[in-house]
Amino acid sequence: MSGPGIRHDSGAQLCVFLCESLAFLEGAPPGSEDGLVCHWYASLPGGETAHAASDVFMPGAAGEHVQLDWCSFVVVDAGAEADLRLTVADLDGHHLGVFFGTVQQLAASDQFDIQDLLLQNVNGALAKVTVHAASQIRWTHRS
C-alpha cells in the first residue's frame, strides 16, 4: 500500500549489498600494511557504470573474519543485465582480488540471500567475503 506521495516504480529495482566480513585465506597480502578497501563496480550493457568504496580496514590473520558491515545500494532498470565486480585493493589502488557476478546472481529476490564470495587473482583464491544481497521494486515520490 502506498501513501499519496509515493508510487511503486515497477521499471526499476533497488539492490542492497551488505558485505558483512572478509577473511584472507592465507593471511594478509603484501601491500596491505596500511589498510585495504573493498570496491563494488556495477556496469550495464549501455555503458553506464557505478562505483562504491568501503571504509579502510586492516586485514586479519589467515582465516580471521574482519567485520566490514559495509552496505551499498544500486538502482537498475528492472530485469537489466547488470554486471558486478567486488574487489579488494590496497590504498594505492592496486586490486588484489576480484569476484565477477551479476545483480541477478547475487540479488535474486526481495529476501536477503547470504553468500560467501571468493575474491580471486592469478594465483587462485585470495579471500572470502560474506555478502547479504536483496533486490526489490523501487518506491519513488509521485511526480
Side-chain angles (χ1 to χ4, degrees):
M1 176 181 211
S2 63
I6 304 221
R7 72 178 179 88
H8 200 203
D9 181 358
S10 59
Q13 17 178 155
L14 171 67
C15 306
V16 181
F17 301 100
L18 170 65
C19 293
E20 178 184 315
S21 63
L22 180 144
F24 286 99
L25 304 180
E26 296 183 14
S32 64
E33 298 79 17
D34 294 328
L36 297 166
V37 176
C38 283
H39 298 269
W40 276 114
Y41 297 94
S43 6
L44 293 168
E48 297 119 322
T49 61
H51 168 256
S54 72
D55 291 333
V56 175
F57 64 92
M58 297 306 294
E64 178 185 347
H65 289 265
V66 174
Q67 282 302 122
L68 299 177
D69 295 329
W70 168 49
C71 196
S72 294
F73 303 89
V74 175
V75 176
V76 297
D77 290 338
E81 297 288 328
D83 290 325
L84 294 173
R85 290 180 314 282
L86 175 62
T87 71
V88 63
D90 63 23
L91 298 185
D92 290 328
H94 300 108
H95 294 277
L96 307 173
V98 63
F99 165 82
F100 293 98
T102 65
V103 166
Q104 296 82 0
Q105 178 184 6
L106 295 181
S109 80
D110 62 354
Q111 300 297 311
F112 278 94
D113 187 25
I114 303 170
Q115 298 182 44
D116 288 327
L117 307 181
L118 282 179
L119 302 183
Q120 304 207 25
N121 59 28
V122 295
N123 298 317
L126 174 75
K128 179 176 71 170
V129 181
T130 301
V131 174
H132 303 241
S135 175
Q136 66 176 339
I137 298 301
R138 185 173 166 215
W139 294 84
T140 59
H141 289 285
R142 289 196 192 278
S143 25

